[in-house]
Amino acid sequence: VVNELQGEKIDIVNWSEDLAMVAASSLSPAEVLRVNIDVEQKKIDVILTDENLSKAIGRRGQNVRLATKLLNHEINILTDQEDSERRQMEFKEKTENFVKNLDLDETLGQLLVAEGFSSIDDIKDSNIENLIKIEGIEEETAKELIDRAKEFYIKDQEEISKKVKDLGLENQLIELPGLTPGMLVTL
């Protein structure tokens, strides 16, 4: 194959149904520690040690650029320390969101984030049974959490609707499929 391509160097990547395995092998010879995939946003975070960072990126970003094309996902290359710092920051932001908007103490906010709740919608859409599975949350607390999340959601939607109305947007724009009121305000 190399002879047919007039000496061009090639990499062969083994195919797998597991996107994480393909991502790791496409960045070879770099040794990958972890791969986090966000299927909805088509993003892949590849976590490696500092020593493997330059191998994964390649000369002028060539390795990661080719892997991005191969996988049709955006690839972020992070060191283990950068990933840890980012996760700590996300944890802190999610906790602060719960504390501020649901009027919780910080410990309860941290507990919810640690148990996988990342947004107020997650709590609003949850049920009492799921919340009481968390150690330290009783039925009354779970019911209050869901009620507060629903109250916040309603207030938030009212504020967004008011902002959309205040902006004086045309009905044609408001009724465009796929655009939520929140998106309209942001735009």
Side-chain angles (χ1 to χ4, degrees), residues 30-35 46-50 52 78-80:
E31 293 177 27
V32 174
L33 297 174
R34 278 185 318 283
V35 177
V46 178
I47 294 91
L48 353 102
T49 60
D50 288 332
N52 285 292
L78 304 164
T79 64
D80 201 25

Side-chain angles (χ1 to χ4, degrees), residues 16-173:
S16 170
E17 291 293 323
D18 184 359
L19 192 58
M21 288 184 69
V22 177
S25 64
S26 69
L27 294 170
S28 180
E31 293 177 27
V32 174
L33 297 174
R34 278 185 318 283
V35 177
N36 300 327
I37 301 173
D38 183 343
V39 178
E40 289 178 12
Q41 295 188 5
K42 295 189 88 163
K43 290 185 177 185
I44 300 174
D45 292 338
V46 178
I47 294 91
L48 353 102
T49 60
D50 288 332
E51 299 83 41
N52 285 292
L53 191 60
S54 62
K55 289 180 192 174
I57 294 171
R59 188 178 308 129
R60 294 187 305 262
Q62 183 176 15
N63 291 356
V64 74
R65 200 169 43 250
L66 291 172
T68 297
K69 285 183 181 180
L70 175 69
L71 298 169
N72 194 28
H73 279 62
E74 179 185 326
I75 298 177
N76 299 313
I77 306 288
L78 304 164
T79 64
D80 201 25
Q81 182 177 349
E82 289 171 334
D83 181 52
S84 176
E85 289 169 1
R86 188 188 68 190
R87 280 187 286 135
Q88 286 175 358
M89 183 63 81
E90 286 175 0
F91 187 90
K92 184 179 177 192
E93 288 171 357
K94 290 173 185 176
T95 300
E96 287 174 356
N97 181 33
F98 291 151
V99 169
K100 176 183 165 203
N101 294 315
L102 297 181
D103 193 28
L104 305 178
D105 68 356
E106 190 167 350
T107 306
L108 183 54
Q110 290 173 345
L111 180 62
L112 289 167
V113 175
E115 290 293 330
F117 291 91
S118 56
S119 70
I120 294 175
D121 279 353
D122 290 348
I123 296 170
K124 174 185 72 73
D125 298 336
S126 186
N127 57 44
I128 293 173
E129 290 77 30
N130 286 342
L131 288 169
I132 59 175
K133 288 178 187 174
I134 301 170
E135 191 174 327
I137 295 183
E138 295 170 11
E139 190 171 340
E140 189 176 312
T141 307
K143 186 179 180 331
E144 181 66 23
L145 281 170
I146 293 171
D147 289 346
R148 287 183 188 185
K150 287 178 179 176
E151 281 177 31
F152 174 81
Y153 177 79
I154 291 167
K155 268 197 278 182
D156 192 47
Q157 292 304 305
E158 287 171 355
E159 285 178 27
I160 289 173
S161 294
K162 184 180 180 310
K163 287 179 184 176
V164 166
K165 191 175 180 179
D166 291 347
L167 288 170
L169 301 176
E170 294 180 20
N171 282 340
Q172 227 178 353
L173 181 62

